[in-house]
Amino acid sequence: MPAAMNPAAKTRRALTIAYDGSRFFGWQKQAGGVPTVQEALEEALSGIAGERVAATAAGRTDTGVHAAAQVVHFDTAAVRPEQAWVRGTNSLLPAGIAVLRVQTVAPHFHARFDACGRRYRYVLQSAPVRSPLLAGRAGWTHTPLDLAPMREAAALLAGTHDFSSFRAAGCQAKSPVKTLYSVRLSGTPQFMALDLHGNAFLHHMVRNIVGALVYVGSGRLTPQGFAALLAAKSRLKAPPTFMPDGLYLTGADYPPECGLAAPPLPDWLWPQL
């Protein structure tokens, strides 16, 4: 047995990773051999550890959804320097995924269940023709948008609500009631970002909210109609789910005792306003 292995004790480590969701069929491993972030990361970590490693994420992103700061934990008996878990793992990962940092955490730490908040940003372009340079990186609508009513409608989302009107039919969450700590729409009518910070999110919740806000910005739905949609607690009359291209998981919050601070938004994730 290698000297760097200690079968009697496994150490739990937390990674912060980033990935381009357009290259993968979501976070979670799937049957059929389709590429997923979890499968690629576990294979790379296992190569460094010299043993099979399982990874658990703070949030299970869908196909096409990106992450600027996804938190993942894994256990291993392998003893490796920090550089090996970062640079070594990155050398084995496919293009589109990178480990940003690693730290040792308590054995009971759980990337998903200990998270007390999650942060998302949706980047949206409004232009007659979609920029090929933003394909897969930003959502797009050809319809001109008015920011003022969109901001008025978005402000209604802050607080604790039943978000059933923005919930996917196949959502497995036990309750549709979630709390959004902050909602901010910034940018210009041509290029904007919606930042959402909440305790948890329903399946397709952010994309469904964006779809409704686009209706508001284009005049197909008033802020009052948006409020009625939220109060209706039903997807039956809600606008369609918007494309995943512009959605980024930008961080997860943990209690101070976990020792994992949410990183700031990266400089490249425009707009910076």
Side-chain angles (χ1 to χ4, degrees):
M1 179 175 295
M5 299 289 289
N6 180 359
K10 287 198 172 188
T11 299
R12 179 157 293 188
R13 291 181 173 85
L15 301 177
T16 300
I17 67 171
Y19 49 84
D20 173 4
S22 67
R23 297 172 180 260
F24 303 96
F25 287 82
W27 159 262
Q28 193 168 6
K29 285 189 293 187
Q30 301 180 34
V34 298
T36 67
V37 178
Q38 184 181 27
E39 183 175 26
L41 181 63
E42 289 182 349
E43 287 185 4
L45 288 171
S46 298
I48 298 300
E51 61 176 353
R52 196 64 201 162
V53 170
T56 300
R60 300 174 183 175
T61 52
D62 291 331
T63 300
V65 177
H66 315 293
Q70 170 78 278
V71 177
V72 177
H73 81 253
F74 70 98
D75 296 329
T76 180
V79 179
R80 305 283 186 268
E82 182 176 308
Q83 181 174 322
W85 294 120
V86 178
R87 298 179 64 178
T89 302
N90 284 338
S91 72
L92 299 179
L93 284 169
I97 313 177
V99 175
L100 305 179
R101 68 181 184 186
V102 63
Q103 63 188 95
T104 301
V105 291
H108 55 76
F109 171 81
H110 197 286
R112 182 182 177 190
F113 298 134
D114 283 344
C116 54
R118 292 167 178 81
R119 301 166 188 266
Y120 284 92
R121 166 171 281 196
Y122 195 99
V123 178
L124 176 65
Q125 179 197 25
S126 170
V129 177
R130 184 175 189 173
S131 169
L133 302 179
L134 295 177
R137 301 288 187 273
W140 170 74
T141 178
H142 64 84
T143 308
L145 300 177
D146 186 346
L147 273 180
M150 293 177 72
R151 286 194 174 112
E152 183 180 345
L156 300 172
L157 297 168
T160 301
H161 305 281
D162 182 325
F163 285 98
S164 293
S165 294
F166 304 105
R167 179 180 189 173
C171 180
Q172 299 179 357
K174 293 181 180 180
S175 171
V177 178
K178 305 298 175 186
T179 300
L180 290 184
Y181 305 129
S182 65
V183 181
R184 182 171 182 256
L185 183 62
S186 58
T188 70
Q190 292 75 40
F191 199 61
M192 64 190 72
L194 176 69
D195 289 297
L196 299 171
H197 179 202
N199 65 338
F201 290 80
L202 302 169
H203 192 203
H204 287 174
M205 179 174 160
V206 178
R207 291 168 57 192
N208 288 332
I209 287 173
V210 171
L213 289 176
V214 167
Y215 267 44
V216 173
S218 62
R220 300 177 67 179
L221 186 68
T222 65
Q224 294 74 26
F226 185 92
L229 174 62
L230 176 62
K233 305 173 187 177
S234 171
R235 281 292 297 159
L236 295 178
K237 295 184 179 181
T241 303
F242 215 67
M243 62 185 70
D245 304 43
L247 183 55
Y248 297 78
L249 173 63
T250 57
D253 303 331
Y254 293 92
E257 57 268 24
C258 292
L260 276 85
L265 283 172
D267 292 340
W268 53 263
L269 189 51
W270 17 240
Q272 292 291 331
L273 297 174

